[in-house]
Amino acid sequence: MKPELIRELKEMLSDDRVLDSLDERYSYSFDASFGTFLPDVAVFPVTTEEVVNVIKLANREKIPVTPRGGGTSLSGGPLPVAGGIALVMTRMNRLLEIDRDNLVAIVEPGVITAELQRRAEAEGLFYPPDPSSSNVSTIGGNLAENSGGPHGLKYGVTKHYVIGLEVVTPQGEIIRTGGMTVKNVTGYDLTPLIVGSEGTLGVITKAILRLIPKPRARKALMAVFNDLIDSGRAISGVLTNGILPAKMEILDNPSIRAVENYQPIGLPVEADAIILIEVDGHPAAVEDEINRAAEICRRYRAKEVRVAENERQREELWRARKLVSPAITQVKPTKISEDATVPRAKIPEMFERLRQIRDKYNIHLVVFGHAGDGNLHPNIIADIRDKDEMRRVEEAVGEIFKAAVELGGTLSGEHGIGTMKAPYMEMELGPVGLDMMRRIKQAWDPDNILNPYKIFPQPGQTRVVLSE
Amino acid sequence: MKPELIRELKEMLSDDRVLDSLDERYSYSFDASFGTFLPDVAVFPVTTEEVVNVIKLANREKIPVTPRGGGTSLSGGPLPVAGGIALVMTRMNRLLEIDRDNLVAIVEPGVITAELQRRAEAEGLFYPPDPSSSNVSTIGGNLAENSGGPHGLKYGVTKHYVIGLEVVTPQGEIIRTGGMTVKNVTGYDLTPLIVGSEGTLGVITKAILRLIPKPRARKALMAVFNDLIDSGRAISGVLTNGILPAKMEILDNPSIRAVENYQPIGLPVEADAIILIEVDGHPAAVEDEINRAAEICRRYRAKEVRVAENERQREELWRARKLVSPAITQVKPTKISEDATVPRAKIPEMFERLRQIRDKYNIHLVVFGHAGDGNLHPNIIADIRDKDEMRRVEEAVGEIFKAAVELGGTLSGEHGIGTMKAPYMEMELGPVGLDMMRRIKQAWDPDNILNPYKIFPQPGQTRVVLSE
């Protein structure tokens, strides 16, 4: 990038919010996926007007702009693949309002997800989307990726809580979509189009989020199964008996073993699967439903069911699930976290397919995730320095995607496409489906300024984990 | 339309599914809004392939195509404004599957909404969207308009229950959006873009709908207020006390009087407002919550609170709300039903604005609607033969839209834009917002074949109710 453009950016914002030294730029060259790509400059706007000015400059000079939040993406969305400007939104981080009467929060994109959750709870309200990175991820990043989490089953995902946006378009104009009401059918619904568009269709500068009354009580149980098929039946059994749990998570045997090796907390290492169920709502309903859920698990041959009797025990049960990610990275340094999602009833079949893939490629694969909504997390543990292993991983990942799509599911339930899954888009969407998306991108961003090389596969692009 | 094209259509479908006589065409020239526009021909496809062929022919010949379902639209979406082909989807009406394990229904667009609701309930499941026309409206129409209803507060609207679509694009290609899973972030979320696009971006030929476990119990109450402001406070009070009712409806004094004049059911005709609250869920929770809601209403000076003790009494309470629409059409023959929506806390202010508009234009205005989500239904009762009255109505409608937008709300909460609200789109969206929508339409339908003259204002178009 020409030095005079850096100067222009510094005048536009301020010297300390335009970073162009190599070590500073390096901090914005990666996310939680693979690959590093140095931006030419990292800029930190604090107002919508500044975002507009940066994007107008980028359009004038045909420089790519890659917006980013906390950089916790697992799919490469915030990677400045083509260099240019890293547009770091973390300093637009004001939580502008929590409006109890209208049950909405108005936030800037840099607000940390957990901060919003805490502030809402302090008002007796609840913001359900709960990606596991919520202590570091920003709301802007969550919106850009349409983040999910365990609450998806009962409460839906991020897009279900976004009712209005202020967005700077790829050409640097400000638009407002939706508004302060849940019901709004004035024209095309641009809100969920921009949510999940991974920063390719606009930069979110403000969001109006829907909150709900905070559930008054919650209770959890853990059920241990000798046979994973039985655990799948128990999950269906709970739902078809009129219980809609807040969370329903599953851990397979390798996940259980990894946790016990990492921190022994008394998990049954011989079990084929553990499921964790949490119900929330009215205290009387919660009490009754957790007991009925326990009964259903026993009916489907759970060999042990532990119901947490108090909040401390509830947190104890959830530790097993929380420890999986740190535990498995102890095994080998490189963790490839997938989020292939299948219709819930296909979970046992997906587990079977994953076992076959594990054997075929001789890889270290553990599976856990959000069983209630079919959103599994097959995690491959490898060592990126082992070229032969990584080649097997690469092929295994492709087969995981294929298995999910063949079972009527999707490549990605909550992590996004970014750079990593772009080569597989057409497999799921077909050429026309992909073309209809591309037409929107072209109509909105004719010079391809905003987050280029994302979502849409590049000609000849085939690799997911390995760089070309 | 040239006779040889009619012949070609008859060969493509079958003689009895291509109607071109004047009296037959007349049946497809109107909906539940204003104006009649004769199509050149009405065709009734029964397969997706037939829809593809009709649309490809229309593209080849540059003939407009207007898709329609039950024709219950209140905003003009199904009106074949430019003639051409009325694409009547009512014979693609198979309810293909209710999948209990995956909690989804797969339907063709011609399925009647209430039929789906009944079939889901028979399986212990629940499809919450409940537009008041559900006994005659089709699911395809509901999807095209993103229909709402009283359940919007707790359960959201139609778009929140659509997880996958099969769609024929404006150029006659088949795409599949979303799928069988609630979580899916593979590319842009085209599902909610097409839902609510009023048949301008594609013809829905199949839909995958999310169902939820059927709530086990429900209870309702009616609260009578001498002052509408108090009723607004009671509504907020219920929500901020951790109760999320399934429905919260309001009737103003003219609505109450209209019902009592039409069918005396013992409503308090002196009351300033009545609110109806229904809670659903676990039996114990329902019992507790309805009592707490009653207490909150009394705290905010309700002069009477009736809690329905059984299902019969519950239905009795709801009769008041159900009778409003038939009652008011007894007053004068022309009913202009609006759906201006404001942030919930602005409801009292909106009522005040509506009172001023009623006085200023000397019109017959009654207000009822979905208080819980701010979606009011100001209904103007007039006589279309009275030119002077209709001119005042026309101006009043414009002021209602303006008031809603000024209070942070929207032109349309659930009825759609169609032809009737197109002139006011820019007021809410701004020129850039409208342009971004137009770019999508142009990118997908460059020859403007699918449902032209809808949503986007035509140059010089200013009238809403009166034809130009």
Side-chain angles (χ1 to χ4, degrees):
Chain A
M1 217 164 113
K2 294 179 218 147
E4 60 265 35
L5 292 178
I6 305 280
R7 269 200 304 279
E8 193 177 340
L9 284 167
K10 287 184 174 174
E11 276 160 34
M12 199 177 270
L13 283 73
S14 69
D15 280 12
D16 62 322
R17 292 192 284 113
V18 176
L19 307 182
D20 62 333
S21 75
L22 183 63
D23 54 336
E24 289 165 330
R25 290 187 287 136
Y26 182 74
S27 304
Y28 304 95
S29 68
F30 57 86
D31 62 7
S33 72
F34 291 85
T36 51
F37 302 87
L38 266 184
D40 296 313
V41 63
V43 305
F44 299 76
V46 293
T47 65
T48 303
E49 213 45 48
E50 287 182 349
V51 175
V52 164
N53 292 336
V54 170
I55 292 185
K56 285 200 165 155
L57 175 143
N59 272 271
R60 189 189 79 204
E61 301 291 334
K62 308 281 179 281
I63 298 167
V65 176
T66 304
R68 67 182 285 141
T72 57
S73 173
L74 292 164
S75 58
L79 298 177
V81 173
I85 300 169
L87 186 66
V88 191
M89 301 302 289
T90 49
R91 296 206 199 162
M92 285 184 75
N93 60 356
R94 289 177 301 165
L95 203 166
L96 299 168
E97 195 178 349
I98 290 195
D99 178 340
R100 285 185 74 199
D101 281 336
N102 291 310
L103 296 182
V104 299
I106 305 179
V107 299
E108 289 187 335
V111 170
I112 301 295
T113 313
E115 170 69 10
L116 169 66
Q117 288 165 339
R118 270 193 299 273
R119 292 276 297 273
E121 291 195 21
E123 300 281 341
L125 301 175
F126 184 38
Y127 176 71
D130 54 350
S132 64
S133 54
S134 59
N135 282 315
V136 265
S137 68
T138 63
I139 283 291
N142 290 179
L143 265 62
E145 300 291 325
N146 186 20
S147 300
H151 278 139
L153 167 65
K154 177 170 180 177
Y155 291 106
V157 294
T158 299
K159 71 174 170 185
H160 297 115
Y161 294 86
V162 191
I163 56 173
L165 294 175
E166 179 186 81
V167 176
V168 178
T169 70
Q171 296 180 303
E173 306 285 341
I174 301 169
I175 59 171
R176 287 176 188 86
T177 72
M180 291 278 286
T181 61
V182 171
K183 286 181 176 170
N184 181 323
V185 292
T186 298
Y188 301 152
D189 195 1
L190 300 183
T191 309
L193 179 67
I194 292 162
V195 170
S197 71
E198 308 194 14
T200 65
L201 293 181
V203 179
I204 295 165
T205 48
K206 199 188 285 180
I208 306 174
L209 305 173
R210 181 168 75 94
L211 304 173
I212 59 175
K214 186 182 161 189
R216 290 167 57 205
R218 57 185 174 183
K219 268 200 132 173
L221 67 76
M222 173 189 283
V224 178
F225 291 86
N226 279 334
D227 184 345
L228 196 129
I229 305 292
D230 287 334
S231 72
R233 291 199 183 115
I235 288 165
S236 282
V238 167
L239 289 165
T240 49
N241 275 278
I243 301 170
L244 188 59
K247 308 181 192 177
M248 270 216 269
E249 300 281 308
I250 191 165
L251 278 71
D252 74 348
N253 176 275
S255 307
I256 299 167
R257 285 178 186 274
V259 171
E260 274 299 300
N261 279 336
Y262 175 57
Q263 261 188 40
I265 56 171
L267 295 184
V269 292
E270 301 303 323
D272 204 28
I274 282 176
I275 62 175
L276 291 156
I277 299 177
E278 182 165 304
V279 294
D280 66 5
H282 188 281
V286 161
E287 189 59 36
D288 176 47
E289 288 183 348
I290 200 74
N291 291 330
R292 283 170 55 226
E295 202 183 293
I296 292 164
C297 288
R298 283 188 206 102
R299 195 185 311 154
Y300 289 101
R301 309 198 300 156
K303 70 168 179 178
E304 189 192 343
V305 180
R306 301 182 202 166
V307 177
E309 290 306 323
N310 51 44
E311 190 60 17
R312 195 188 51 73
Q313 286 182 10
R314 193 189 67 82
E315 279 171 19
E316 197 58 38
L317 287 188
W318 281 108
R319 275 190 75 202
R321 172 67 179 84
K322 288 213 171 80
L323 285 171
V324 180
S325 272
I328 58 183
T329 49
Q330 301 296 309
V331 182
K332 284 185 181 179
T334 309
K335 174 161 100 71
I336 297 103
S337 173
E338 290 305 338
D339 61 328
T341 301
V342 295
R344 182 171 34 247
K346 300 282 187 187
I347 288 180
E349 208 170 322
M350 185 65 179
F351 268 101
E352 190 45 43
R353 295 285 288 266
L354 291 169
R355 274 181 191 168
Q356 289 163 7
I357 293 168
R358 172 163 53 205
D359 293 345
K360 179 172 171 188
Y361 293 102
N362 184 28
I363 50 168
H364 200 104
L365 177 68
V366 307
V367 189
F368 56 95
H370 318 309
D373 55 25
N375 180 195
L376 296 179
H377 289 309
N379 273 246
I380 303 175
I381 316 303
D383 185 337
I384 202 159
R385 294 160 299 188
D386 181 341
K387 292 289 169 217
D388 178 65
E389 182 180 36
M390 289 307 282
R391 256 188 299 274
R392 284 180 280 122
V393 167
E394 180 71 44
E395 288 189 54
V397 166
E399 287 211 21
I400 292 172
F401 294 160
K402 232 169 275 171
V405 172
E406 280 172 18
L407 294 176
T410 177
L411 289 182
S412 181
E414 57 184 18
H415 292 173
I417 300 300
T419 51
M420 286 188 67
K421 289 171 200 160
Y424 289 89
M425 285 281 276
E426 193 171 317
M427 180 179 76
E428 181 171 336
L429 300 170
V432 183
L434 194 55
D435 174 57
M436 298 313 274
M437 293 183 186
R438 238 191 258 271
R439 289 190 198 192
I440 296 173
K441 172 67 173 171
Q442 281 162 359
W444 279 31
D445 189 8
D447 289 321
N448 199 20
I449 297 301
L450 209 55
N451 213 3
Y453 299 94
K454 298 299 162 60
I455 297 186
F456 300 105
Q458 303 305 309
Q461 189 187 353
T462 56
R463 300 290 182 74
V464 175
V465 181
L466 299 171
S467 46
E468 315 285 320
Chain B
M1 216 164 115
K2 296 180 216 146
E4 60 265 34
L5 292 178
I6 304 281
R7 269 200 305 280
E8 193 177 340
L9 284 167
K10 286 183 175 176
E11 277 160 32
M12 200 177 270
L13 282 74
S14 68
D15 280 12
D16 63 321
R17 293 191 284 112
V18 177
L19 307 182
D20 63 333
S21 75
L22 183 63
D23 54 336
E24 288 166 331
R25 289 187 289 136
Y26 182 75
S27 303
Y28 304 95
S29 68
F30 57 87
D31 63 6
S33 72
F34 291 85
T36 51
F37 302 88
L38 266 184
D40 295 312
V41 62
V43 306
F44 299 77
V46 293
T47 65
T48 303
E49 213 45 48
E50 287 182 349
V51 175
V52 164
N53 291 337
V54 169
I55 292 184
K56 285 201 164 155
L57 176 144
N59 273 272
R60 190 190 77 203
E61 301 291 334
K62 307 280 179 279
I63 297 168
V65 175
T66 304
R68 67 182 284 141
T72 57
S73 173
L74 292 164
S75 58
L79 297 178
V81 173
I85 300 169
L87 186 66
V88 190
M89 301 301 290
T90 49
R91 297 206 198 163
M92 284 183 76
N93 61 355
R94 289 178 301 166
L95 204 166
L96 299 167
E97 195 178 349
I98 290 196
D99 178 341
R100 285 185 73 197
D101 281 335
N102 290 310
L103 296 181
V104 299
I106 305 179
V107 298
E108 289 187 336
V111 170
I112 300 296
T113 313
E115 170 68 11
L116 170 65
Q117 288 165 339
R118 270 192 299 272
R119 291 278 295 275
E121 291 196 19
E123 301 280 342
L125 301 175
F126 184 37
Y127 176 72
D130 55 351
S132 64
S133 55
S134 59
N135 282 314
V136 266
S137 68
T138 62
I139 283 290
N142 289 179
L143 265 63
E145 300 291 325
N146 186 20
S147 300
H151 278 140
L153 167 65
K154 177 170 180 177
Y155 291 106
V157 294
T158 299
K159 71 174 171 185
H160 299 115
Y161 293 86
V162 191
I163 57 173
L165 293 175
E166 179 187 82
V167 176
V168 178
T169 70
Q171 295 180 303
E173 305 285 342
I174 300 170
I175 59 171
R176 287 177 188 85
T177 71
M180 291 278 287
T181 60
V182 171
K183 286 182 176 170
N184 181 323
V185 292
T186 298
Y188 300 154
D189 195 1
L190 300 182
T191 310
L193 179 67
I194 292 162
V195 170
S197 71
E198 307 194 16
T200 65
L201 293 181
V203 179
I204 295 165
T205 49
K206 199 188 286 181
I208 305 174
L209 305 173
R210 182 168 74 94
L211 304 174
I212 59 174
K214 187 181 161 190
R216 289 168 58 206
R218 54 184 175 184
K219 270 200 130 172
L221 67 76
M222 174 188 283
V224 178
F225 290 86
N226 280 335
D227 184 344
L228 196 129
I229 306 292
D230 288 334
S231 72
R233 290 197 185 116
I235 288 165
S236 282
V238 167
L239 289 165
T240 49
N241 275 279
I243 302 170
L244 187 60
K247 308 180 192 178
M248 271 216 268
E249 300 281 307
I250 190 164
L251 279 70
D252 74 348
N253 177 276
S255 307
I256 300 167
R257 285 179 187 273
V259 172
E260 274 299 299
N261 280 336
Y262 175 58
Q263 261 189 40
I265 55 171
L267 295 183
V269 293
E270 301 304 323
D272 203 29
I274 282 177
I275 62 175
L276 290 156
I277 298 177
E278 182 165 304
V279 295
D280 66 6
H282 188 281
V286 162
E287 188 61 36
D288 175 47
E289 288 183 349
I290 201 74
N291 292 329
R292 283 168 57 225
E295 202 182 294
I296 292 163
C297 287
R298 284 188 205 103
R299 194 187 311 155
Y300 288 101
R301 308 199 301 154
K303 70 168 179 176
E304 188 193 343
V305 181
R306 300 181 202 168
V307 177
E309 290 306 323
N310 51 44
E311 190 60 17
R312 194 188 52 73
Q313 285 182 12
R314 193 191 66 84
E315 279 172 18
E316 197 58 38
L317 288 188
W318 280 107
R319 276 191 74 205
R321 172 67 178 84
K322 288 213 171 78
L323 285 170
V324 179
S325 272
I328 58 184
T329 48
Q330 302 296 310
V331 182
K332 283 186 182 179
T334 308
K335 174 161 100 71
I336 296 101
S337 174
E338 289 305 339
D339 61 328
T341 301
V342 295
R344 183 172 32 246
K346 299 283 187 186
I347 288 179
E349 209 171 321
M350 184 65 179
F351 267 100
E352 189 46 42
R353 294 285 288 264
L354 291 169
R355 273 180 193 168
Q356 289 163 7
I357 293 168
R358 172 161 56 204
D359 293 346
K360 179 172 171 188
Y361 294 103
N362 184 27
I363 50 169
H364 200 105
L365 177 69
V366 307
V367 189
F368 55 95
H370 318 308
D373 55 26
N375 179 196
L376 296 179
H377 289 307
N379 272 244
I380 303 174
I381 316 303
D383 186 335
I384 201 159
R385 293 159 301 187
D386 182 340
K387 293 289 171 216
D388 179 64
E389 183 180 34
M390 289 307 281
R391 257 189 298 273
R392 284 181 280 123
V393 167
E394 180 70 45
E395 288 190 55
V397 166
E399 287 212 21
I400 291 172
F401 294 160
K402 231 168 275 170
V405 173
E406 281 172 17
L407 294 176
T410 178
L411 289 182
S412 181
E414 56 183 20
H415 293 172
I417 298 301
T419 51
M420 286 188 66
K421 290 170 198 159
Y424 289 89
M425 285 280 277
E426 194 171 317
M427 179 178 77
E428 181 171 335
L429 300 171
V432 182
L434 194 55
D435 174 57
M436 298 313 274
M437 293 183 186
R438 238 192 258 270
R439 289 191 197 191
I440 296 173
K441 171 68 174 170
Q442 281 162 358
W444 280 30
D445 188 8
D447 289 321
N448 199 20
I449 297 301
L450 209 55
N451 213 3
Y453 299 94
K454 299 300 161 61
I455 298 187
F456 300 105
Q458 304 304 308
Q461 187 188 353
T462 56
R463 300 290 181 76
V464 175
V465 182
L466 298 170
S467 45
E468 313 286 322

